[in-house]
Amino acid sequence: MTDEKKTIDILLLGSGGREHALAMKLAESPLCGELYIAPGNGGTVEVGENVALDENDPAAVADFARETNIGLVVIGPEAPLVAGVADAVREAGIPCFGPGAAGAQMEGSKRFSKELMGRANIPTAAYGVFTNEEDALAYVREQGAPLVVKADGLAAGKGVIVATELVQAEEAVRECFGGTFGEAGSTVVVEEMLTGPECSLLAFTDGKTVRPMATSQDHKRALEGDKGPNTGGMGVYSPVPIVTDEEQTEMERIMNATVAQLAAEGIDYRGCLYGGFMLTPQGPKVLEFNARFGDPETQVVLPRLKNDLVEVMLACANQTLDQVELAWRDEWAVSVVLTSAGYPGSYEKGKVITGIEDAAAMENVTVYHAGTAVNEDGDVVTAGGRVIDVTALGATFEDARNLAYEACEKIQFEGKTLRHDIGLRALKGRSAWA
Ligand code: AMP
Ligand code: GLY
């Protein structure tokens, strides 16, 4: 007998930049045996084995995990969580990182999360919920612009319209009920527009203990100067320098209160709870919760995490998180997303990507694949809207930022598009949001 810990085989679901970052961090652990990624992307093949498996089919995932003797299933995206994949995996007796369908409603239904926040007195924008167009339009006209119109269900980060004019809000309501977002738009939430800097606070939880991660800030709009439509995220950094101690304490209190409320309502939430906050003049208010890691937030948070990710995730799955303390590297992290021209609208795929190895060879730079695939000739090609995330670590915010942009220049593909102002506002300080 030796004291060496046994390794476990891991199944990770998803195919984005977030999953490449999760895969790399999991693979780093001495506890990680075989790593399977379903379906994975052009980057995850370098870290583990991509498997063709329907990530949204609870029975198929549970069967694969049982037959392959998987010791931990990690669920990256929201769709499998909402579909109840975690429930099926846990029923099969396999530890799982990710909430069941009940907990995933925190993201899967904006109405559910708003109502839960109400019961727990959690600060969030005032709102109304509507299941028919007439009532929603009447409310919008009564409130007046600016307003935020949200499709209730999952819409890949695109079901939120920030309307500065009344006609925009009316159009957004008609669009939701008209079927642009499918079933997701059959219930509509209309919110008061909040102002201030945004801040994401992700937390590990086992349903009892909450361990907040480092703060990060996404850039959701497609164009520089925070203009254009919302996207899944164009760039991100960690930590967020403009957050005050009071704001940090309040965000952590809110994360704890939310998990406590879930537990009080009989929901056993084990995984990552993502709090999306706006730092308003009245203090932090919740914009949304997600039931998973953020993308691209993960690509700046995980490189700064010192802990063994397998250990932390097992502690969440097995409800022993009280025995884990998180530790963070002091370096700053900045990540820039390279997208296909046209995103978040329509875009072309199959463009050959060059320079990834040159960028990845730079010290303190990591290249995460998002929408990439390997074609028949063995070339890495574009296969999605968000194609590559380039993350750099630096001793100062500016160092990290400059290095990330230097690395982005080495990567080329037809239609390559990026925002050049990631982190610029934070560098200027809080007054840049005034
Ligand atoms: P959500 O998916 O609900 O986080 O919304 C996506 C983005 O829309 C947020 O990150 C904000 O930039 C913006 N947003 C959402 N709700 C509001 C609000 N009540 N006030 C202002 N902006 C908002
Ligand atoms: N970056 C925003 C999200 O993951 O929802």
Side-chain angles (χ1 to χ4, degrees):
M1 288 278 288
T2 67
D3 284 343
E4 263 180 49
K5 291 187 189 164
K6 254 183 78 198
T7 63
I8 55 165
D9 295 348
I10 300 174
L11 170 63
L12 167 65
L13 303 184
S15 61
R18 165 183 54 211
E19 282 74 25
H20 192 194
L22 285 164
M24 283 173 80
K25 193 77 182 172
L26 290 167
E28 244 173 63
S29 164
L31 294 172
C32 183
E34 295 292 327
L35 176 60
Y36 301 95
I37 308 99
N41 63 28
T44 58
V45 280
E46 315 252 313
V47 195
E49 186 182 328
N50 283 358
V51 289
L53 177 65
D54 181 355
E55 60 181 334
N56 295 317
D57 180 341
V61 173
D63 286 347
F64 176 90
R66 206 185 296 108
E67 284 156 17
T68 322
N69 206 15
I70 294 295
L72 173 68
V73 174
V74 178
I75 303 179
E78 56 277 21
L81 294 167
V82 170
V85 170
D87 302 289
V89 170
R90 274 194 275 271
E91 268 160 37
I94 300 165
C96 183
F97 183 89
Q105 292 177 91
M106 286 301 278
E107 172 163 7
S109 166
K110 296 204 183 280
R111 172 182 211 159
F112 175 89
S113 82
K114 287 295 252 190
E115 290 177 352
L116 184 128
M117 285 188 257
R119 292 190 291 275
N121 282 320
I122 286 168
T124 184
Y127 71 106
V129 182
F130 304 94
T131 50
N132 76 71
E133 190 174 311
E134 281 315 298
D135 292 350
L137 286 174
Y139 180 81
V140 159
R141 287 173 191 140
E142 182 196 312
Q143 297 292 316
L147 283 174
V148 183
V149 179
K150 302 183 175 186
D152 180 66
L154 296 180
K158 294 161 204 158
V160 174
I161 299 101
V162 181
T164 46
E165 309 286 335
L166 184 61
V167 285
Q168 283 177 305
E170 290 174 340
E171 195 186 297
V173 166
R174 287 193 197 99
E175 235 191 310
C176 284
F177 286 112
T180 303
F181 306 110
E183 201 35 48
S186 62
T187 298
V188 170
V189 174
V190 181
E191 286 186 7
E192 152 202 21
M193 191 184 86
L194 302 175
T195 54
E198 288 186 47
C199 180
S200 303
L201 183 66
L202 284 60
F204 289 106
T205 181
D206 62 1
K208 298 186 289 195
T209 301
V210 177
R211 293 282 185 248
M213 298 183 219
T215 52
S216 55
Q217 189 178 57
D218 190 10
H219 294 60
K220 293 246 168 72
R221 301 296 191 100
L223 306 176
E224 284 167 18
D226 292 323
K227 303 252 178 349
N230 268 331
T231 68
M234 296 296 291
V236 61
Y237 57 80
S238 173
V240 185
I242 54 161
V243 174
T244 65
D245 289 349
E246 290 76 24
E247 287 168 336
Q248 179 78 32
T249 304
E250 173 64 357
M251 288 191 288
E252 292 185 6
R253 183 196 69 78
I254 289 173
M255 297 306 285
N256 275 288
T258 305
V259 172
Q261 184 68 27
L262 284 162
E265 297 189 10
I267 295 178
D268 178 8
Y269 193 109
R270 307 182 199 184
C272 177
L273 181 66
Y274 167 130
F277 291 91
M278 193 159 263
L279 307 177
T280 76
Q282 293 80 38
K285 293 191 182 182
V286 176
L287 291 175
E288 64 164 345
F289 283 111
N290 292 321
R292 46 156 180 91
F293 275 93
D295 190 343
E297 285 88 339
T298 308
Q299 291 88 303
V300 287
V301 170
L302 287 187
R304 299 188 58 237
L305 179 69
K306 286 186 181 169
N307 298 64
D308 179 326
L309 186 61
V310 177
E311 228 168 69
V312 180
M313 288 187 157
L314 279 174
C316 292
N318 296 327
Q319 295 201 295
T320 54
L321 193 62
D322 58 334
Q323 292 162 35
V324 173
E325 296 291 342
L326 302 181
W328 301 95
R329 294 172 62 156
D330 291 331
E331 289 99 325
W332 296 81
V334 175
S335 190
V336 178
V337 181
L338 306 182
T339 64
S340 300
Y343 175 79
S346 61
Y347 50 83
E348 291 177 17
K349 296 183 185 178
K351 310 294 181 193
V352 174
I353 310 169
T354 59
I356 293 178
E357 283 173 10
D358 289 346
M362 292 168 69
E363 204 177 339
N364 291 320
V365 171
T366 308
V367 178
Y368 296 113
H369 291 237
T372 74
V374 181
N375 72 10
E376 290 150 7
D377 301 329
D379 295 321
V380 178
V381 295
T382 64
R386 292 191 290 173
V387 178
I388 296 258
D389 310 303
V390 179
T391 298
L393 290 173
T396 67
F397 195 137
E398 256 175 316
D399 286 351
R401 196 176 174 275
N402 291 340
L403 186 60
Y405 279 110
E406 211 183 298
C408 284
E409 301 217 333
K410 298 200 185 282
I411 300 176
Q412 297 301 336
F413 57 89
E414 196 187 313
K416 170 185 147 189
T417 305
L418 68 156
R419 274 183 62 168
H420 294 88
D421 62 345
I422 302 304
L424 211 53
R425 252 176 158 186
L427 265 182
K428 290 184 186 149
R430 189 80 178 223
S431 59
W433 274 271

